[in-house]
Amino acid sequence: MLFTHLATHLAGISRGLARMGAAVPSRCAVCHAWPARPVCDACRMQFAPPLPRCATCARLLHHGVAQCGDCLRHPPPLDACVAAVSYAFPWADLLAQFKFHAEPGWAGALAQLMARAPGAQAALAQADLVLPVPLSPERLRQRGYNQALLLARALGHPQVHARMLLRVRDTEAQSHLARAERLRNLRGAFVPDPLRAAQLAGKRVLLVDDVMTTGATLHAAAAPLRDAGALQVCALVLARTP
């Protein structure tokens, strides 16, 4: 009960910081211009230009190509996937601050980048439910907040559900694993909340996460949603590895 109350309190603080950061001028974290937003318009235009990406895995593609060869040969469990930026300078550093250095106030500025990505507004508009990719209880206790949940809330959709999708076991860190190992590592890690699984039937679900590397985590999260009867499962992420 105490942990739940603390998590709710921290989420309220982070929403307040996000609103404050959007309204009050500050120094751009990238070019250090003053006054500016947390990321100024010039840096956003330079480092977050709209780029052609695969419709179902958000991998960078040549102009005029809608879907990558891997997704054509092996259709993923996602109907669509949108990524705002590539996981590179300066976004990798800003994400590390947000995710690992107890700076939840970054959620608002980073969610704005996500909302501006090509296809993001359509994905949000058609979604019946927005589900952040959950952390394990152990990881949540260590970090104090789920960065995917903060991003999902900052996107402003009225149907964000923090506990409709559950992570039922902790998993080995994914960063050093190949894709096949990641898939094995995540097998059975996600399940819909048994008391709310029926609410997924016939719904269009949007998964939200901060970083997509191989897609293993999002695919492992999407599969049980489809098994529960979700009509459509799409994903919106902040950053996609090249």
Side-chain angles (χ1 to χ4, degrees):
M1 182 65 72
L2 177 60
F3 176 73
T4 301
H5 176 73
L6 179 59
T8 302
H9 181 64
L10 287 172
I13 292 174
S14 70
R15 287 194 292 270
L17 288 171
R19 289 192 294 269
M20 185 183 299
V24 178
S26 62
R27 192 177 186 185
C28 174
V30 181
C31 70
H32 308 300
W34 171 271
R37 297 180 178 86
V39 177
C40 73
D41 289 341
C43 286
R44 179 178 57 79
M45 292 175 66
Q46 180 178 355
F47 296 110
L51 297 172
R53 294 180 179 275
C54 174
T56 46
C57 77
R59 182 179 296 166
L60 288 173
L61 294 176
H62 296 294
H63 285 280
V65 180
Q67 202 171 18
C68 71
D70 284 346
C71 288
L72 287 171
R73 288 190 296 270
H74 308 288
L78 294 172
D79 293 285
C81 184
V82 175
V85 299
S86 294
Y87 189 67
F89 177 85
W91 313 116
D93 292 340
L94 297 183
L95 261 168
Q97 292 180 35
F98 172 48
K99 190 171 179 178
F100 301 117
H101 299 289
E103 296 191 21
W106 269 106
L110 297 177
Q112 286 180 15
L113 287 172
M114 297 170 72
R116 288 171 169 158
Q121 289 302 314
L124 287 163
Q126 70 182 7
D128 300 309
L129 304 168
V130 174
L131 308 185
V133 173
L135 294 177
S136 69
E138 180 179 351
R139 197 74 53 85
L140 185 58
R141 282 193 296 271
Q142 292 171 351
R143 190 168 299 163
Y145 55 89
N146 179 1
Q147 71 280 354
L149 174 57
L150 298 189
L151 290 171
R153 286 173 170 163
L155 287 166
H157 194 280
Q159 291 295 326
V160 177
H161 296 272
R163 292 191 57 77
M164 189 170 283
L165 179 67
L166 306 177
R167 192 165 190 152
V168 293
R169 64 179 178 84
D170 200 8
T171 54
E172 183 181 352
Q174 297 274 95
S175 56
H176 65 286
L177 300 178
R179 187 174 189 278
E181 294 171 321
R182 289 174 184 235
L183 289 169
R184 285 194 295 271
N185 188 41
L186 289 162
R187 191 171 295 143
F190 299 101
V191 298
D193 179 350
L195 298 178
R196 306 176 68 187
Q199 298 176 35
L200 291 163
K203 295 296 194 298
R204 299 178 186 271
V205 178
L206 181 65
L207 288 166
V208 172
D209 208 358
D210 57 337
V211 179
M212 180 180 183
T213 304
T214 65
T217 298
L218 287 166
H219 292 179
L225 299 176
R226 289 197 174 280
D227 292 342
L231 177 66
Q232 182 185 77
V233 183
C234 299
L236 173 59
V237 300
L238 173 61
R240 176 68 156 98
T241 56

